[in-house]
Amino acid sequence: MNDPLPHAVLNVDDSFAYMDSAMTKNKYSVLLPTYNERENLPIITWLLARTFETNGIDWEIVIIDDGSPDGTQEVARELQKVYGERILLKPRAGKLGLGTAYVHGLQFATGNYVIIMDADFSHHPKFIPEMIQMQAKNNYDVVSGTRYRPGGGVYGWDLKRKLVSRGANYLATLLLRPRASDLTGSFRLYKREVLHQLINATVAKGYVFQMEMIVRARQFNYSVGEVPITFVDRVYGESKMGMSEIVQYAQGVWRLFTTV
């Protein structure tokens, strides 16, 4: 069976050549939504900074905090003292949804490429250079980290959560044919203008947002590449996924099936 996904194979010389090109002319803005992430934020920021600096990549982090009561914003302000203008804190009044967090953060991002990811170590920054390499070589509009291709995986989930994730992806793939293996993942690299158009076209504002973004990318004929990643369940804090999000996801899949 033919592989339905663009999946680049880079040799070592090409990898360095395309990485050098990306480093010299591009800036990467990380949109980092947070809620009660005071323990995770300093470490993920350090890992991001080390990854970018080691590879000579121009970068910034936009922290979008939804009024965390645990002092996440105070930690972010301390990080600004360490990293200066590379850290932008753009808080909101309360929990307004993941999709609107990206809308809010994109207003302040200055990079021509935008990375979205979680702040809880579920997404390790070590995969970012490979995502940049793949995008630069193939000029992809979107590069998505996937748990469900060879080389990817999930660690720290119980059987129930694995079944929910697999079932959610299977349902959306069956009905929507998005030509992507991981619709619910939230570790992605976008061209800034592509992200802007997809956000404007996307109706969902909660966890359905990630799935709809990939479906809309197919609708607009944007190219999507995938990099296998290992997803690790959060180290500190509690998961924010609940039954209401699962119901919203199923409703969102049906809405897209009947409208796109």
Side-chain angles (χ1 to χ4, degrees):
M1 183 174 65
N2 292 331
D3 188 348
L5 294 171
H7 184 67
V9 177
L10 301 177
N11 64 45
V12 174
D13 292 337
D14 283 346
S15 296
F16 283 115
Y18 288 109
M19 177 61 94
D20 287 344
S21 174
M23 287 188 303
T24 57
K25 62 183 180 181
N26 297 317
K27 181 176 183 178
Y28 296 84
S29 300
V30 179
L31 301 187
L32 207 61
T34 59
Y35 186 78
N36 287 347
E37 301 287 4
R38 63 168 294 142
E39 295 168 307
N40 295 321
L41 188 58
I43 306 174
I44 194 66
T45 300
W46 181 81
L47 287 171
L48 282 164
R50 185 182 67 171
T51 298
F52 289 129
E53 297 295 340
T54 299
N55 290 279
I57 301 168
D58 193 10
W59 63 281
E60 68 181 5
I61 301 173
V62 183
I63 300 169
I64 308 108
D65 185 71
D66 279 1
S68 297
D70 73 337
T72 296
Q73 290 183 34
E74 287 72 16
V75 171
R77 293 187 185 96
E78 291 299 314
L79 291 170
Q80 287 180 312
K81 296 177 183 178
V82 176
Y83 296 101
E85 295 181 354
R86 297 220 183 251
I87 306 295
L88 289 75
L89 174 60
K90 301 299 177 182
R92 303 191 297 173
K95 296 183 71 174
L96 302 174
L98 186 61
T100 58
Y102 294 133
V103 173
H104 181 73
L106 188 60
Q107 301 176 66
F108 307 100
T110 61
N112 55 324
Y113 287 89
V114 178
I115 296 166
I116 64 171
M117 62 186 297
D118 295 343
D120 60 6
F121 310 128
S122 298
H123 306 136
H124 199 291
K126 68 182 180 181
F127 298 107
I128 290 176
E130 185 178 354
M131 296 169 78
I132 291 174
Q133 290 169 13
M134 177 177 283
Q135 188 286 320
K137 181 177 181 182
N138 299 278
N139 196 29
Y140 285 135
D141 297 306
V142 183
V143 175
S144 181
T146 176
R147 299 161 289 183
Y148 302 129
R149 287 182 65 87
V154 175
Y155 298 93
W157 280 2
D158 58 21
L159 180 60
K160 177 182 176 181
R161 189 163 180 192
K162 287 181 179 179
L163 289 174
V164 167
S165 179
R166 281 287 194 177
N169 277 280
Y170 177 77
L171 176 65
T173 299
L174 180 67
L175 294 178
L176 303 175
R177 305 294 181 185
R179 298 192 299 272
S181 65
D182 193 344
L183 299 178
T184 57
S186 54
F187 191 7
R188 296 175 186 162
L189 166 64
Y190 292 90
K191 291 180 178 178
R192 181 192 175 93
E193 65 274 14
V194 170
L195 179 58
H196 185 267
Q197 182 177 5
L198 291 176
I199 283 178
N200 286 337
T202 298
V203 176
K205 302 301 179 185
Y207 282 88
V208 188
F209 183 84
Q210 303 293 3
M211 178 267 294
E212 184 170 347
M213 290 276 279
I214 290 294
V215 173
R216 297 292 180 187
R218 182 208 65 183
Q219 180 185 19
F220 297 140
N221 292 317
Y222 285 133
S223 56
V224 180
E226 292 195 324
V227 168
I229 65 164
T230 50
F231 177 98
V232 180
D233 199 18
R234 61 168 44 246
V235 177
Y236 299 109
E238 297 180 356
S239 172
K240 302 169 183 70
M241 174 67 75
M243 182 55 67
S244 63
E245 284 77 18
I246 296 172
V247 172
Q248 288 174 18
Y249 181 87
Q251 293 172 338
V253 170
W254 180 251
R255 174 178 52 79
L256 289 170
F257 177 69
T258 57
T259 59
V260 175

